[in-house]
Amino acid sequence: MEATPFANTDVHVETSSAQYGSMTYHPETEAHEQKKWPAMFWFILKFLCLYSHRSVVTERRCYICNMKLAIGERKRMADWNGSSTDDTDYLAITYERRGRSGEDTSDAHQTEDRPACEACESLWWNGNRVPVIYNENDIGVRSWNHKGSSVLAPVTLSIGLLALLCTVMYILNTLWRDHANIVLMVTKITYAITIAIAPTMCLCSKLRSCARNGLATNWAFLTTLNVRYLIVRAQMLDLPRRGLPGKPFLFLCPCCLTLPAVYRAVVYLFLGECRITLYIITTSLVVVFLTLYNSLILYILYIVRISFQQQLKLVLYYIKENEGTINKCRSVLFAAASDFGCFRQFCDVFALAAVPSFVFSLVVRIILDYVLYHGRIEKVIDEKMFRMEIHFSIIGWLNMVFAITMWSVSLGGLQVSYIWDNFFANLLRLNEGKFDPAWNKTLDNLAYFVKGSQILLTSVCFSVISVYAGIRLSDQDISFNNTKHNLCG
């Protein structure tokens, strides 16, 4: 069942402090002394190759201030060269552009920048709704985001993806001409595509950051993996005092998702009938690395998800206290909605790529197990081959069970739309019994920022392919895992 963080809440209060469930909220008036964020958080970002900007803590402006600035720049460009651009992508303006002093923004400049308005100040809120302005040395990121990180990150990702691509090319070259192993070929390529999803999206995020004004708005969801975006998300969790959230999940997610990959490597290297070669060792290490990469991406999505649950709760408090000031509320709402819409689209696109592979793997695994046990009963499969196939059946089921479980824990469900739905329901409750045309128009405009992607069509297409693969399994060689086609080279 999906979590509902805003369910059964009452924001109709009569005092100056807003209520949330049984909890009474009293905004703190003094910020705590800034401490460095946990080193493990920066290590995870380093391992995931997410550092792409020389300066990751820059000046922040609210939605309205950023749009005014963008429109002013566009007019100046039109007056200067007679042409204008349509660069009004809030996410690109906020997270992808260079800092006001360039990529080498000094710490002194960062601490001197003060929010332009009260809505801009909300972009520095911590988990207690206290604006805490910090620089890179304050939070401890400077030593991790050293010179060369912006080059090292995409190079590392490219090497890992190229190594995986070489494995896919080897599979195609080995199995393409063998009619009896078509399903095997598609199964292996599907697995390779699945573990390549997260690093590929991260690499595309780098391309969006490198573009002068960011890529097209259709690629805005890639900002979810921008380190500046993630720092804004993490500041809501009060990391200096509370440390990393979800430590059991941080431990279990890499262990569970990497276990099948390590199991597969052990079977290939020590139990299979093939020689241990440099190719086999390299392929096994690449698969383990990419699987670990995907598991930590899920933990990052977990951090982003709980940070939005905290931020939207604070936004409700803010709107209740400032319900007579529509401009301030609108700017805070639009900034939060734009950031959440980016996260929601990222999760939908991730699922768009992963769900069809999961459907295909599930159908093929069920049919393969049926054929395997039927062959054992009919005594057409010898004991040694049967034991090997059991290993790969266990690996397949572990992959599917761990993947769907970790995904559900990471997002609090199969999708994250429930977070915004509950928040929006509370917004409507705030204005219950009143008629304010400006407020109603603001709520209508929120739908522009929070848009999802549909994955039904792609899932149906892959389901049809899965059924076709099941029909063709009667012609297939099910002993593929322990033959010359098991990447032995």
Side-chain angles (χ1 to χ4, degrees):
M1 179 182 297
E2 294 180 344
T4 54
F6 297 115
N8 301 321
T9 59
D10 185 6
V11 290
H12 293 283
V13 294
E14 312 221 352
T15 61
S16 60
S17 60
Q19 292 183 357
Y20 191 78
S22 61
M23 177 184 67
T24 302
Y25 173 67
H26 299 279
E28 296 186 17
T29 56
E30 296 182 3
H32 294 277
E33 182 181 354
Q34 182 67 35
K35 299 179 181 178
K36 293 184 183 300
W37 293 8
M40 178 58 70
F41 178 73
W42 305 122
F43 171 78
I44 292 174
L45 298 187
K46 190 71 173 181
F47 181 86
L48 295 176
C49 305
L50 296 181
Y51 295 112
S52 57
H53 299 281
R54 185 67 189 99
S55 178
V56 297
V57 179
T58 57
E59 185 181 14
R60 297 175 188 170
R61 299 185 184 92
C62 66
Y63 184 86
I64 292 179
C65 290
N66 255 333
M67 291 299 101
K68 289 180 179 178
L69 181 66
I71 293 172
E73 290 181 352
R74 189 167 57 186
K75 289 181 179 178
R76 285 195 294 272
M77 290 295 294
D79 295 339
W80 182 60
N81 58 14
S83 63
S84 63
T85 64
D86 295 325
D87 181 21
T88 54
D89 181 354
Y90 170 77
L91 294 170
I93 296 171
T94 304
Y95 299 111
E96 308 293 355
R97 280 185 170 182
R98 292 171 176 261
R100 194 174 71 183
S101 298
E103 289 291 324
D104 294 321
T105 304
S106 66
D107 288 334
H109 183 274
Q110 290 173 11
T111 54
E112 289 173 1
D113 283 335
R114 309 306 300 178
C117 66
E118 186 173 335
C120 295
E121 189 177 73
S122 70
L123 301 178
W124 295 94
W125 282 350
N126 63 11
N128 296 310
R129 220 181 83 190
V130 177
V132 179
I133 301 179
Y134 50 81
N135 58 44
E136 294 177 7
N137 281 332
D138 291 337
I139 59 179
V141 67
R142 174 57 63 85
S143 59
W144 293 90
N145 186 32
H146 52 74
K147 291 184 178 180
S149 293
S150 58
V151 176
L152 182 62
V155 168
T156 303
L157 290 172
S158 299
I159 291 175
L161 291 173
L162 284 175
L164 188 63
L165 179 61
C166 290
T167 300
V168 172
M169 296 303 295
Y170 175 82
I171 294 172
L172 288 172
N173 183 63
T174 305
L175 303 178
W176 179 258
R177 292 161 293 185
D178 192 344
H179 174 75
N181 285 288
I182 296 299
V183 172
L184 163 64
M185 180 187 70
V186 176
T187 301
K188 289 184 177 292
I189 292 177
T190 299
Y191 179 74
I193 291 174
T194 302
I195 62 176
I197 293 173
T200 300
M201 295 178 76
C202 185
L203 189 59
C204 292
S205 177
K206 303 285 180 250
L207 297 178
R208 174 172 165 83
S209 298
C210 290
R212 179 175 178 81
N213 293 318
L215 297 179
T217 306
N218 291 337
W219 296 88
F221 66 90
L222 294 172
T223 300
T224 302
L225 295 180
N226 186 298
V227 66
R228 293 174 178 171
Y229 179 93
L230 294 176
I231 288 176
V232 173
R233 295 290 93 228
Q235 78 185 28
M236 291 287 173
L237 302 178
D238 202 5
L239 297 183
R241 288 195 298 166
R242 300 179 183 175
L244 283 177
K247 292 184 179 66
F249 182 66
L250 174 59
F251 173 78
L252 288 176
C253 193
C255 290
C256 291
L257 294 184
T258 308
L259 177 61
V262 174
Y263 190 179
R264 180 188 299 270
V266 170
V267 172
Y268 279 146
L269 293 175
F270 303 107
L271 302 180
E273 296 178 350
C274 60
R275 295 178 293 105
I276 298 179
T277 63
L278 179 61
Y279 174 79
I280 287 292
I281 296 175
T282 303
T283 302
S284 299
L285 290 177
V286 169
V287 170
V288 171
F289 168 76
L290 292 180
T291 307
L292 180 60
Y293 188 96
N294 280 269
S295 68
L296 291 179
I297 284 291
L298 289 182
Y299 179 72
I300 290 297
L301 295 182
Y302 169 80
I303 286 181
V304 175
R305 188 255 298 179
I306 62 175
S307 74
F308 272 118
Q309 290 176 324
Q310 174 68 9
Q311 180 187 11
L312 295 181
K313 181 176 67 174
L314 298 181
V315 170
L316 281 177
Y317 298 146
Y318 180 85
I319 292 174
K320 177 59 182 177
E321 295 172 1
N322 298 273
E323 57 183 342
T325 314
I326 188 66
N327 286 334
K328 288 197 300 183
C329 294
R330 181 189 294 119
S331 190
V332 172
L333 267 177
F334 285 177
S338 182
D339 283 357
F340 182 82
C342 169
F343 173 56
R344 178 179 178 177
Q345 288 186 38
F346 178 88
C347 293
D348 287 348
V349 172
F350 201 111
L352 173 67
V355 167
S357 299
F358 179 84
V359 173
F360 176 83
S361 300
L362 179 62
V363 174
V364 170
R365 188 72 262 161
I366 292 174
I367 297 175
L368 276 177
D369 285 350
Y370 172 79
V371 174
L372 173 65
Y373 284 98
H374 179 75
R376 180 59 177 165
I377 294 174
E378 298 294 330
K379 298 183 178 180
V380 297
I381 300 178
D382 59 40
E383 184 68 25
K384 184 176 182 180
M385 182 187 301
F386 181 76
R387 287 199 301 268
M388 288 297 299
E389 297 299 336
I390 288 296
H391 285 300
F392 285 99
S393 178
I394 294 173
I395 291 171
W397 285 111
L398 285 177
N399 271 322
M400 288 183 285
V401 171
F402 286 156
I404 193 67
T405 302
M406 295 300 107
W407 174 264
S408 299
V409 173
S410 176
L411 302 188
L414 297 180
Q415 292 182 314
V416 295
S417 56
Y418 70 91
I419 299 176
W420 184 261
D421 292 342
N422 291 320
F423 170 72
F424 193 77
N426 279 274
L427 282 180
L428 295 177
R429 192 180 301 174
L430 280 173
N431 203 39
E432 190 175 8
K434 304 176 184 178
F435 179 74
D436 186 343
W439 178 248
N440 292 336
K441 184 177 180 180
T442 298
L443 295 182
D444 291 338
N445 289 336
L446 289 179
Y448 169 79
F449 300 98
V450 186
K451 296 178 292 185
S453 301
Q454 299 300 321
I455 66 173
L456 178 61
L457 180 60
T458 308
S459 299
V460 170
C461 291
F462 264 77
S463 298
V464 172
I465 295 174
S466 301
V467 173
Y468 171 77
I471 295 174
R472 294 301 303 273
L473 271 178
S474 60
D475 304 330
Q476 302 300 297
D477 177 11
I478 68 166
S479 62
F480 53 78
N481 287 311
N482 197 34
T483 66
K484 64 181 180 178
H485 300 312
N486 68 349
L487 303 182
C488 287

